[in-house]
């Protein structure tokens, strides 16, 4: 197998999508071709980097653009196929130029679509990274104050009504003293360019901020754990609210609080 044919099949080979004959031929080729083997290694490295960034669903608008681009490419292919009979009467050099022109157009389309998809993934990852910074900064701000709360009470029947008229939603406030999480009180804060509610708990000497605001999507999500600058964050959505819990408490105990909430 020649390099140009092998490189056409490398992506499908890496994804395990080739028929047995092609798979064996590519495997044999990359064992003896350092260049193609290097391209395959680069593809796998990029795939691992993107996987570590997390999978983010593409927006409907991007999916529509991709389908339109693919449909246009298929239409051009059908047009070229219909003129194939005339191609037999073209000089061989012209046929070669047309052939490479088609391949170049297809490659350009793949590059554009890949750039669009990668750009969306990186943008989404950047948004998550920015939100994590906002949550950490809000937590640290509360620790720098004389008190991390604006309403100090261990009675949820006093803390929850305090938010009425101050927030456009009703934060969930629970009494978890018997589980070792002492309710300290609540306050308003500012995260991700919006006013949010913060319910504050304490476990031993550790302050825990539970940030809440209306979820941008109605669907519930499972808890996601992240760590930054020595703090652990857990985020999820439930019942129309987005939750972010942050503390320097260890991850196991913080996950216990999440289950109790």
């Amino acid at each position: 197998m020649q390099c140009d044919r092998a490189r056409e099949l490398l992506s499908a080979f890496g994804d395990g999508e080739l028929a047995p004959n092609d798979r064996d031929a590519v495997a044999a080729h990359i064992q003896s071709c350092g260049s193609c083997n290097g391209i395959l290694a680069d593809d796998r490295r990029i795939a691992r980097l993107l996987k570590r960034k997390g999978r983010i669903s593409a927006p409907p608008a991007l999916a529509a653009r991709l389908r339109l681009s693919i449909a246009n490419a298929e239409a051009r292919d059908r047009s070229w196929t219909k003129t194939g009979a005339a191609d037999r009467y073209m000089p061989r050099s012209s046929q070669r130029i047309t052939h490479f022109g088609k391949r170049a157009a297809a490659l350009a389309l793949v590059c554009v679509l890949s750039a669009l998809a990668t750009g969306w993934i990186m943008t989404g990852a950047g948004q998550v990274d920015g939100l994590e910074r906002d949550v950490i900064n809000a937590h640290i701000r509360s620790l720098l104050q004389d008190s991390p709360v604006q309403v100090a009470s261990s009675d949820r029947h006093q803390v929850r009504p305090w938010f009425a008229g101050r927030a456009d939603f009703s934060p969930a406030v629970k009494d978890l003293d018997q589980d070792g999480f002492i309710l300290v009180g609540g306050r308003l804060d500012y995260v991700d360019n919006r006013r949010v509610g913060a319910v504050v708990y304490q476990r031993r000497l550790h302050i825990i901020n539970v940030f809440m605001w209306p979820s941008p999507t109605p669907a519930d999500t499972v808890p996601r754990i992240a760590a930054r600058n020595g703090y652990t964050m857990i985020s999820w959505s439930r019942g129309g609210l987005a939750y972010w819990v942050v503390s320097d408490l260890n991850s196991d105990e913080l996950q216990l609080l999440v289950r109790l909430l």
Side-chain angles (χ1 to χ4, degrees):
M1 177 175 287
Q2 299 298 317
C3 284
D4 57 350
R5 177 57 179 163
R7 290 174 185 178
E8 292 177 355
L9 301 176
L10 280 179
S11 178
F13 175 80
D15 294 336
E17 297 174 349
L18 290 180
N21 290 341
D22 286 336
R23 183 189 63 235
D24 294 343
V26 173
H29 176 79
I30 61 177
Q31 287 182 355
S32 60
C33 179
S35 178
C36 291
N37 196 11
I39 292 173
L40 179 62
D42 286 342
D43 288 346
R44 288 173 170 169
R45 178 178 56 82
I46 293 171
R48 288 194 298 270
L49 289 174
L50 292 176
K51 186 176 181 180
R52 284 202 295 268
K53 285 291 184 181
R55 178 169 294 181
I56 302 173
S57 300
L62 175 59
R65 289 200 300 271
L66 292 176
R67 285 194 292 269
L68 179 60
S69 297
I70 293 171
N72 289 338
E74 291 177 346
R76 286 194 296 270
D77 285 344
R78 287 194 295 270
S79 176
W80 287 332
T81 300
K82 290 179 181 178
T83 60
D87 289 346
R88 289 198 297 269
Y89 300 100
M90 294 172 60
R92 183 173 297 276
S93 59
S94 297
Q95 292 181 18
R96 187 177 300 112
I97 292 172
T98 301
H99 172 70
F100 284 112
K102 293 177 182 177
R103 291 183 60 187
L107 180 59
L109 175 61
V110 171
C111 291
V112 169
L113 298 182
S114 177
L116 287 172
T118 301
W120 168 251
I121 291 172
M122 294 307 179
T123 299
Q127 291 172 344
V128 172
D129 186 68
L131 183 53
E132 289 180 357
R133 283 199 302 270
D134 266 12
V135 169
I136 287 291
N137 289 339
H139 176 72
I140 293 174
R141 280 197 308 269
S142 74
L143 301 180
L144 296 177
Q145 307 301 316
D146 292 335
S147 172
V149 297
Q150 292 170 295
V151 54
S153 176
S154 59
D155 184 352
R156 64 186 181 91
H157 296 294
Q158 292 184 14
V159 175
R160 184 170 184 177
W162 179 87
F163 286 99
R166 294 181 172 88
D168 57 357
F169 66 99
S170 180
V173 182
K174 290 188 175 183
D175 182 358
L176 303 174
D177 288 9
Q178 62 182 0
D179 298 294
F181 295 95
I182 309 302
L183 178 62
V184 177
R187 73 174 188 283
L188 293 178
D189 214 311
Y190 200 70
V191 173
D192 193 31
N193 299 316
R194 74 181 77 200
R195 182 180 292 187
V196 305
V199 178
V200 182
Y201 293 90
Q202 183 170 349
R203 187 169 178 88
R204 299 186 299 278
L205 298 178
H206 303 275
I207 294 296
I208 307 166
N209 273 289
V210 182
F211 296 101
M212 285 169 272
W213 60 83
S215 175
T217 58
D220 293 350
T221 61
V222 298
R224 170 184 172 273
I225 302 176
R228 182 189 288 267
N229 300 335
Y231 296 99
T232 299
M233 294 171 284
I234 305 179
S235 59
W236 74 100
S237 297
R238 185 178 67 239
L241 289 181
Y243 292 80
W244 280 76
V245 174
V246 57
S247 177
D248 61 351
L249 188 64
N250 67 75
S251 176
D252 289 341
E253 291 183 279
L254 209 56
Q255 289 181 73
L256 172 60
L257 172 61
V258 169
R259 290 192 292 271
L260 294 171
L261 291 174

